[in-house]
Amino acid sequence: MKELRGSEIHLSIALAYQYIGQNFLYLERYDQSLNALWKCINITSLLSQSDSVIETSAWFHGLICCVYENIDRPSQALHHCKNSLETFLRLDKTLEDERIELLHITLGDVYFDLGQFLFAKEYYLKSLEIHEKRFPKTDHPNLGNIYNNLGMIYIMLDEYQLALENFQKAVENDKTTVQYIGHPRSAEN
């Protein structure tokens, strides 16, 4: 068994707190989630700032964004999500990185919650572009979500034909995705 050095132990503890924070998020215990995720940030701030530590810390900010989004604190969610995305891009993470796509979707969600529909549309379209580069000509659960989000944006912008087209794409994608993952029921029922 490999012996861990001091910084690796601290990073390992931070990652354990990340999983605790994520589970509290899933359980909708948001205060406890934030508490655990802030411990992650505090631990990584004490470590030497290698690219891997900076990247890990950026993801922690992305998770904090999700918590703030769930407790209806969009300005704080926006701050942490932008911080996370800017850090990933500064580290030259490729657009094929799933986290980049998810952060664009989340930023779209936050801007939607703020009523800033043009910004939301911009981030959803960018997430669609990233998704299509990652999974050309395939269906994926994120794709249906993106089309559905775009449909909602187009309704808010009074562009009903575009809304309809995106909702239809979402339904078609979801039918294919359900069949693809071997769901026991037909998507037609």
Side-chain angles (χ1 to χ4, degrees), residues 136-168:
K137 301 193 189 310
T138 61
D139 296 309
H140 187 277
N142 281 357
L143 191 57
N145 184 35
I146 295 167
Y147 283 129
N148 188 61
N149 292 345
L150 282 167
M152 293 300 298
I153 290 295
Y154 288 124
I155 284 177
M156 301 309 290
L157 297 174
D158 296 330
E159 296 182 38
Y160 301 110
Q161 185 58 42
L162 287 172
L164 181 60
E165 290 169 16
N166 279 276
F167 288 136
Q168 288 172 330

Side-chain angles (χ1 to χ4, degrees), residues 27-127:
L27 294 169
E28 298 179 1
R29 293 164 58 184
Y30 301 118
D31 288 341
Q32 291 167 299
S33 178
L34 281 174
N35 185 42
L37 292 169
W38 277 113
K39 286 181 181 178
C40 299
I41 298 289
N42 291 335
I43 291 169
T44 55
S45 73
L46 300 173
L47 301 175
S48 65
Q49 296 300 296
S50 67
D51 282 359
S52 67
V53 170
I54 293 169
E55 179 179 339
T56 302
S57 181
W59 186 240
F60 297 156
H61 280 282
L63 294 171
I64 288 171
C65 166
C66 292
V67 177
Y68 282 134
E69 183 187 11
N70 276 284
I71 60 175
D72 199 28
R73 290 167 66 184
S75 60
Q76 288 167 302
L78 187 63
H79 168 76
H80 288 281
C81 200
K82 280 187 162 189
N83 176 306
S84 182
L85 181 60
E86 288 168 4
T87 302
F88 279 120
L89 295 176
R90 194 172 52 249
L91 290 171
D92 262 349
K93 288 294 161 192
T94 67
L95 293 181
E96 285 77 37
D97 189 319
E98 180 182 20
R99 296 170 297 187
I100 303 292
E101 179 184 342
L102 294 174
L103 287 168
H104 278 86
I105 293 170
T106 304
L107 277 165
D109 293 345
V110 173
Y111 277 118
F112 186 92
D113 293 342
L114 289 168
Q116 297 182 18
F117 304 120
L118 292 176
F119 283 122
K121 176 183 162 185
E122 176 185 330
Y123 280 100
Y124 289 144
L125 287 172
K126 184 66 175 177
S127 67

